[in-house]
Amino acid sequence: MNIAVYQMDIVAGDPEVNRQKVSHWLGEQELENVDLVMLPEMWTTAYTLPELWDIAEDPVDSETIRFLKDAAKRYHVHIMGGSMAVKENGKVYNRAVVINNIGELVYDYDKIHLVPMLNEPAYLSGGHDPVKVFELDGVKMGVVICYDLRFPEIIRSLALQGCELLFIPAEWPDSRRSHWDVLSTARAVENQMYVVTCNRPGSYDGITFAGSSAFIDPWGNVLQKGSVEHEETLRETLHLSNVADVRKNVPVFDSRVPDLYE
């Protein structure tokens, strides 16, 4: 599976300008041999938390979701659409959306764990539904968002559902970049799955972000890694059969003793 990651700097609080950025980026890419493209967390708004109530989109009539569906059909490419702020039932959620290459919404996920260091719970509501795998081209995939990376329980849940490829869109700060690198690799190794991350570079409201988007294989090898500072595109071909090979050679899941885990 060929994947292109857009390590995108984000214009704060302006969804239309960010959609134009992504549209321009897509138009510049040679996507004939790309199966899936990936965007970062909250790529339409950035972390403009006090403004989210006013600019979050109704998911039933979302300009951004329409844009992603149209782009998926136009370029015949799956889109791991990072995440966006949506307003539903009087609450604002940080929602990841996945669109297939014929323009259908195949999965969405609301970020479960909110970041207390950013006072996120004052502006956002955490998701209520557990993580689930979804399939594209016969590959079982999952997505968690940024701070969720610190909670191995939900990623193990995806692994036990058969997840072979995990996406992590993020706006991870540079001050905790070492955690981003270590935890992303650890989740790949302990769950024997590919991990693809898409983090933003740049800065906003006094926070500098870590960039460092990456492709990590089920053995923990970092196949490719983005820079810290720059907006850029990363491309990689993933050989999904490696997941089964690693799980056969080191049969962690057969060795589990869940009755003793409390």
Side-chain angles (χ1 to χ4, degrees):
M1 173 169 280
N2 296 313
I3 296 178
V5 166
Y6 185 18
Q7 180 170 292
M8 170 190 175
D9 199 359
I10 303 168
V11 179
D14 198 331
E16 180 56 31
V17 168
N18 287 306
R19 284 192 291 269
Q20 291 173 7
K21 276 195 71 169
V22 171
S23 178
H24 181 72
W25 176 76
L26 287 167
E28 285 187 327
Q29 305 303 306
E30 294 180 358
L31 295 174
E32 291 79 10
N33 297 316
V34 173
D35 300 299
L36 183 146
V37 299
M38 182 179 181
L39 303 172
E41 180 187 19
M42 299 284 268
W43 64 271
T44 57
T45 60
Y47 259 87
T48 51
L49 290 173
E51 302 172 34
L52 287 185
W53 178 259
D54 295 322
I55 58 177
E57 298 183 52
D58 178 350
V60 177
D61 186 30
S62 164
E63 183 64 30
T64 296
I65 293 176
R66 275 195 298 274
F67 165 77
L68 294 174
K69 287 181 173 180
D70 290 345
K73 286 188 288 188
R74 178 178 179 182
Y75 295 105
H76 194 62
V77 67
H78 305 306
I79 299 180
M80 169 61 250
S83 75
M84 56 183 285
V86 300
K87 186 157 55 178
E88 192 171 63
N89 299 322
K91 297 180 179 179
V92 178
Y93 297 93
N94 183 349
R95 179 169 295 177
V97 294
V98 181
I99 313 292
N100 68 14
N101 60 14
I102 56 173
E104 298 171 334
L105 176 68
V106 296
Y107 182 69
D108 59 34
Y109 161 73
D110 293 338
K111 183 179 178 182
I112 293 174
H113 303 98
L114 302 179
V115 184
M117 300 84 82
L118 297 177
N119 200 23
E120 276 191 5
Y123 303 98
L124 291 164
S125 295
H128 301 292
D129 296 325
V131 292
K132 298 291 185 186
V133 297
F134 57 92
E135 286 194 30
L136 293 170
D137 297 340
V139 178
K140 292 186 176 182
M141 307 175 179
V143 57
V144 299
I145 301 173
C146 198
Y147 188 56
D148 285 332
L149 173 61
R150 293 185 179 275
F151 299 86
E153 302 94 328
I154 61 169
I155 300 171
R156 175 49 58 94
S157 171
L158 288 168
L160 294 174
Q161 294 173 50
C163 182
E164 302 163 276
L165 170 55
L166 176 69
F167 298 102
I168 309 175
E171 291 200 34
W172 197 281
D174 191 53
S175 59
R176 295 186 283 276
R177 180 167 21 117
S178 61
H179 300 186
W180 169 253
D181 292 339
V182 169
L183 293 174
S184 299
T185 302
R187 298 294 95 88
V189 172
E190 68 194 0
N191 294 294
Q192 301 174 317
M193 60 173 64
Y194 280 98
V195 171
V196 179
T197 65
C198 182
N199 191 34
R200 66 164 293 186
S203 60
Y204 170 70
D205 198 25
I207 298 174
T208 299
F209 297 94
S212 306
S213 304
F215 292 88
I216 306 167
D217 75 10
W219 201 251
N221 299 305
V222 178
L223 305 177
Q224 190 175 168
K225 187 174 181 179
S227 68
V228 174
E229 302 93 350
H230 303 299
E231 186 171 86
E232 60 191 304
T233 300
L234 288 76
R235 291 183 178 223
E236 190 63 59
T237 299
L238 306 185
H239 301 284
L240 275 302
S241 61
N242 289 338
V243 174
D245 290 342
V246 170
R247 289 176 177 175
K248 179 180 179 181
N249 292 330
V250 185
V252 167
F253 294 99
D254 292 338
S255 302
R256 295 178 70 247
V257 190
D259 291 344
L260 297 182
Y261 305 157
E262 294 183 358

